[in-house]
Amino acid sequence: MSFDTYRDVWVFIECFQGQPKSVGLELLGQGRKLADGLKQRLCAVVIGKETEAAVKESAAYGADRIYVVKGDEYENYSADAYGHVFLKLCETYKPNTILVGATVNGRDLGSKIAVSLHTGLTADCTALSVDEETQNVIWERPAFGGNLYAQILCADTRPQMGTCRPGAFKKPERRENNRPEIIEEDIHTPESQIRTRVLEFIKACEENDMRLDEAEVIVSGGRGMKSKENFAVLRELADVLGGTVGCSRAAVDAGWMPQSRQVGQTGSTVTPKIYFACAISGAVQHVAGMSGSGTIVAINKDETAPIFEVADYGIVGDVFEIVPALVKELKARKQ
Ligand code: FAD
């Protein structure tokens, strides 16, 4: 089957309240690699009520062309409205490859598009390349709990699609002088076709709005924190470093933290620049969710705790002495 009519690599630039999420910009770096390999254009797809910031950032991160669809009905994500727009764009421009961030909304949109177009989608890819001979993208992802890596091809249909988790790739270098072609499409979705409504945003917990999978610094606490109130000291450290607070499952089970802040096999997989594991022993299920962090700092009073095996910096001592001392020192340095 010839795929000649399917051209270009598309990246969905997901936005929240008018601002592009980091993952879309990260994927522009991977998209560039694929577009060069396929000798095609790199295109960003921006849908929203306010699109200026996302268009500007997509240009700076290297898009050759940006498809922009604006409308009041796109203020908040909905599978019906965004799916409608994306499918219309696909019908008109026939992309070869589509990359979507593996966020809650991205996973929803990606699967909707793949099913509607009867094509394949590889979830949670960790490496992308092009098979020069067949021009298939090689979608690589961990399988069987990370014990082996599978290479998946979408050889029979187009577009070929994949999702990648936030933080799995770094953003490419900014190119302020890049001037992409902007294509504005007037596509509207009738209200009657949108079956979901966002009524309000409710914070899942006391933590600031920063998502775990998007935070550059995470300060996590475990059973050794001993109470809900004691997490205040970790919040202070997170605040001074511009990060957010996570936890182990033991802290969730004890009712000190909501499940949405749990890191690990049955919680979030995180890849911050710095991860603090405070009074966390380092069970395999916890480590599975944080071992991809840039730098790991472990604070534990038990020098034999397994967390020290994955830590770049290990501090043996009482978390209630060390964390306040760190906060004091960091605050002093900021002044
Ligand atoms: P503990 O193992 O009890 O460790 C507490 C640590 O705190 C100890 O090392 C202790 O030395 C230290 N400590 C105590 N007091 C202090 C102090 N004052 N100062 C410094 N250190 C101190 N766990 C997760 O975290 N995430 C998951 O997603 C997850 N998924 C799971 C899925 C399955 C199927 C199963 C079976 C388990 C899962 N678990 C998960 C649970 C996991 O096995 C561990 O039970 C859990 O991670 C332990 O949490 P913890 O390290 O906070 O507690």
Side-chain angles (χ1 to χ4, degrees), residues 221-226 247-251 253 259 262-268 278-287 289 299-303 305-307 315 317-320 322:
R223 199 193 313 269
M225 294 309 296
K226 296 187 175 66
C247 66
S248 70
R249 190 164 99 174
D253 291 346
Q259 208 277 333
Q262 181 184 317
V263 173
Q265 188 185 317
T266 45
S268 296
C278 303
I280 290 176
S281 60
V284 281
Q285 295 90 353
H286 186 79
V287 171
I299 304 168
N300 198 302
K301 65 181 182 186
D302 174 7
E303 64 180 19
I307 193 72
I315 305 171
D318 189 334
V319 74
F320 300 110
I322 291 158

Side-chain angles (χ1 to χ4, degrees), residues 161-196:
M161 297 184 60
T163 64
C164 304
R165 290 187 185 212
F169 300 104
K170 297 212 170 348
K171 280 186 212 163
E173 294 262 306
R174 281 182 78 89
R175 287 165 45 202
E176 301 297 351
N177 57 356
N178 183 38
R179 297 282 174 267
E181 181 186 3
I182 310 278
I183 299 197
E184 292 189 8
E185 285 282 340
D186 192 23
I187 304 172
H188 286 281
T189 310
E191 213 170 295
S192 58
Q193 271 182 34
I194 306 175
R195 293 168 293 175
T196 52

